Amino acid sequence: MPDCSENYENEISEGHNVRSIKCKFCNSIILKPSVASFTTVQFQLPLMKQTGGTNHPETEELSLFWMVTDMLMFENVGFSNTVGNNKYLTCADCEAGPIGYYDLSSKKSYVALSRVKHC
Amino acid sequence: MAKTYDYLFKLLLIGDSGVGKTCVLFRFSEDAFNTTFISTIGIDFKIRTIDLDGKKIKLQIWDTAGQERFRTITTAYYRGAMGIMLVYDITNEKSFENIKNWIRNIEENASSDVEKMLLGNKCELEEKRQVSKERGEQLAVEYGIKFIETSAKASIRVEEAFFTLARDIKAKMEKKLVSHVYNDCF
């Protein structure tokens, strides 16, 4: 197994991702090295595993994200239908998600560091 | 930032509801995650990157889920589409019969040079088969399009189908490019 570090400091070099960003569950490649920019922004991202209904999804506040300015910078990714001003991002292969969100007004995509692996 | 790909192809998955188009959307992981949250909202489209004869190709793939009936799929939906994967379920006779209606809808609404391919999908067991492979092949011949039978669980065939469609679009584009150059020169 490759070393999939949780120590994010080593994952960032000159503001970009050092290693590939992959799905935690099926290893599908989401972003190639150096493509995304590290950014901090507060966002309430719904949990991957919900216990209740989806009308009021349980969320957690995340602040560490990989950002891309163009959706075509992704290798493989799924975009959910629109909810408010966002689309949620998923793994293209196993559809695990949300791994992040897409902002319709800025057209920027944000992938949460804690929802993916780096290897 | 410099463009990181050579081509961008917009593809549509079209067919009756329940033919497993969603599982054709490259969903071939054995232990599909399928959280209630994402599956309730639904997937709009996917971006996939493939390597074809040394060229990096981005596929943007839309599923028609949620607007299934031909009447609701109009010109706007087909706009910009370069390839259409027509999907039926081999265990559902009706979904196969409707392929003809889908093709008529495409002819009325989509660009005439859109690349099409017929895909017989098998999400369930062979014992439930209602449409033989031969009938699928025959229909494809009738319309002059390619045909493949896949199982969403057998990832290779699904991938092969998308590669084939992408390769045909690429060949068509390059041919067009060459003829333009030729016309400009003479």
Side-chain angles (χ1 to χ4, degrees):
Chain A
M1 279 295 285
D3 170 33
C4 295
S5 177
E6 293 292 317
N7 180 3
Y8 298 135
E9 269 175 41
N10 297 331
E11 300 301 339
I12 306 161
S13 169
E14 291 173 7
H16 294 287
N17 55 311
V18 174
R19 299 196 279 181
S20 285
I21 294 165
K22 295 182 181 177
C23 173
K24 272 186 176 181
F25 303 93
C26 75
N27 272 323
S28 174
I29 296 185
I30 300 160
L31 286 158
K32 286 212 164 161
S34 312
V35 173
S37 305
F38 176 75
T39 184
T40 53
V41 52
Q42 310 291 322
F43 191 85
Q44 290 286 340
L45 197 62
L47 299 179
M48 283 187 158
K49 284 197 169 121
Q50 297 282 337
T51 50
T54 40
N55 285 344
H56 300 284
E58 301 162 80
T59 62
E60 64 175 333
E61 184 169 292
L62 297 176
S63 57
L64 309 180
F65 290 91
W66 293 115
M67 187 273 290
V68 292
T69 50
D70 179 351
M71 63 169 73
L72 294 174
M73 290 161 89
F74 281 107
E75 284 297 297
N76 302 291
V77 75
F79 282 72
S80 79
N81 288 318
T82 302
V83 180
N85 187 43
N86 300 113
K87 283 177 180 292
Y88 293 104
L89 305 177
T90 75
C91 168
D93 282 314
C94 71
E95 298 186 354
I99 54 168
Y101 68 99
Y102 168 76
D103 185 312
L104 263 76
S105 31
S106 71
K107 298 193 178 349
K108 288 176 180 171
S109 302
Y110 298 85
V111 175
L113 271 70
S114 64
R115 300 274 177 104
V116 291
K117 69 180 180 186
H118 306 82
C119 53
Chain B
M1 185 175 161
K3 215 164 87 168
T4 56
Y5 56 93
D6 299 298
Y7 293 109
L8 167 64
F9 295 160
K10 297 186 177 186
L11 309 180
L12 302 182
L13 288 174
I14 287 196
D16 286 5
S17 55
V19 296
K21 295 195 301 299
T22 309
C23 71
V24 173
L25 261 176
F26 283 95
R27 183 180 181 171
F28 42 63
S29 175
E30 275 299 324
D31 45 2
F33 200 87
N34 211 352
T35 59
T36 48
F37 183 72
I38 291 296
S39 54
T40 305
I41 297 169
I43 305 260
D44 187 14
F45 62 88
K46 286 182 179 178
I47 289 169
R48 308 285 321 202
T49 308
I50 62 170
D51 193 76
L52 206 61
D53 312 320
K55 299 281 185 197
K56 201 169 184 190
I57 297 173
K58 296 275 174 187
L59 304 178
Q60 205 170 5
I61 310 169
W62 273 270
D63 191 343
T64 57
Q67 38 181 324
E68 311 288 345
R69 290 181 305 179
F70 339 109
R71 290 167 206 89
T72 66
I73 297 190
T74 54
T75 316
Y77 191 78
Y78 288 112
R79 193 166 294 140
M82 297 146 95
I84 297 176
M85 196 73 86
L86 285 146
V87 189
Y88 68 91
D89 176 358
I90 66 152
T91 65
N92 180 343
E93 173 73 31
K94 186 85 187 138
S95 73
F96 180 71
E97 286 167 10
N98 268 336
I99 289 292
K100 289 184 179 182
N101 295 324
W102 285 115
I103 290 180
R104 196 175 314 129
N105 186 260
I106 291 165
E107 283 168 351
E108 285 166 4
N109 294 288
S111 145
S112 60
D113 64 348
V114 67
E115 201 65 41
K116 296 181 283 289
M117 187 164 172
L118 183 63
L119 193 150
N121 194 39
K122 187 175 74 173
C123 274
E124 291 191 66
L125 301 168
E126 182 65 33
E127 299 90 77
K128 291 188 179 172
R129 181 192 282 273
Q130 291 182 355
V131 184
S132 70
K133 196 175 176 185
E134 290 69 32
R135 287 175 66 204
E137 284 165 347
Q138 209 177 332
L139 187 70
V141 167
E142 205 176 302
Y143 287 104
I145 59 178
K146 286 186 180 166
F147 170 71
I148 199 166
E149 246 190 29
T150 64
S151 153
K153 279 182 183 151
S155 61
I156 294 162
R157 302 284 287 170
V158 176
E159 203 164 9
E160 190 186 315
F162 279 93
F163 265 77
T164 303
L165 190 58
R167 185 171 284 119
D168 290 348
I169 296 168
K170 180 169 166 276
K172 189 179 268 184
M173 277 178 86
E174 284 164 353
K175 201 171 145 193
K176 227 185 250 179
L177 209 65
V178 168
S179 78
H180 281 167
V181 170
Y182 185 86
N183 289 337
D184 287 349
C185 291
F186 300 95

